[in-house]
Amino acid sequence: MKEIKIRYSKQRELIFNNLKHRYDHPTAEMIYQDLKVDYPHLSLGTVYRNLNQLVETKQIKKLDLGDTMVHYDGNIQPHMHFMCNCCQTIYDLDNNDEKIIKQFEKTYKHHINVIDINMSGICEKCLEKKAA
């Protein structure tokens, strides 16, 4: 695999650091709104361009969870995602990749390198609201 090299950029560093300290799986627009308070000259196009470069260099993950918006995740360690169909909150779920991989490889006779599982449903908070 060819290594992609990109030059240092202060804007990319700001965007990356913003994302690394978040757990809400923001969209590019959310990151832009967050940063433009302190960096009014930052453009939304710059945010998109730098997020795409960070995805390309595998420093962050791009999540397409079917809600018409692309979300980003600064946690590149293997994990699953759950998106609530009611409140649109995205949760990180720990998983046991090794167990899942062994089960699928035994069943389907494929060699699996990466698992990327996204689930949707109704979160605990929304279920509690509906029950009340």
Side-chain angles (χ1 to χ4, degrees), residues 6-131:
I6 53 177
R7 289 187 302 160
Y8 172 80
S9 158
K10 178 67 174 168
Q11 292 92 345
R12 190 175 313 108
E13 182 181 15
L14 292 169
I15 293 163
F16 180 72
N17 286 334
N18 178 275
L19 185 58
K20 288 298 275 187
H21 295 97
R22 298 178 76 140
Y23 301 97
D24 60 346
H25 305 86
T27 63
E29 290 83 1
M30 291 166 72
I31 294 169
Y32 169 69
Q33 292 297 326
D34 222 21
L35 291 174
K36 82 173 193 173
V37 173
D38 293 323
Y39 305 95
H41 297 296
L42 183 69
S43 73
L44 182 57
T46 298
V47 173
Y48 272 107
R49 190 169 41 260
N50 282 286
L51 285 169
N52 286 332
Q53 288 179 336
L54 290 166
V55 168
E56 220 175 290
T57 57
K58 300 186 183 333
Q59 294 177 275
I60 64 170
K61 283 184 178 182
K62 185 176 187 177
L63 305 175
D64 184 358
L65 301 174
D67 68 342
T68 70
M69 293 181 174
V70 174
H71 299 265
Y72 296 90
D73 192 348
N75 177 3
I76 59 171
Q77 297 306 309
H79 64 284
M80 298 181 285
H81 293 99
F82 174 84
M83 185 175 89
C84 179
N85 295 330
C86 293
C87 66
Q88 305 304 306
T89 300
I90 301 169
Y91 297 90
D92 285 336
L93 303 176
D94 292 330
N95 62 341
N96 185 339
D97 281 353
E98 197 171 304
K99 184 177 177 182
I100 294 169
I101 287 173
K102 283 180 182 176
Q103 182 179 347
F104 276 96
E105 285 182 342
K106 182 179 176 185
T107 303
Y108 298 106
K109 309 296 185 232
H110 301 304
H111 174 75
I112 300 168
N113 293 324
V114 177
I115 291 182
D116 189 13
I117 299 176
N118 298 315
M119 296 175 260
S120 66
I122 302 174
C123 72
E124 183 179 11
K125 290 178 186 176
C126 289
L127 286 171
E128 288 172 359
K129 285 180 188 175
K130 283 185 177 191

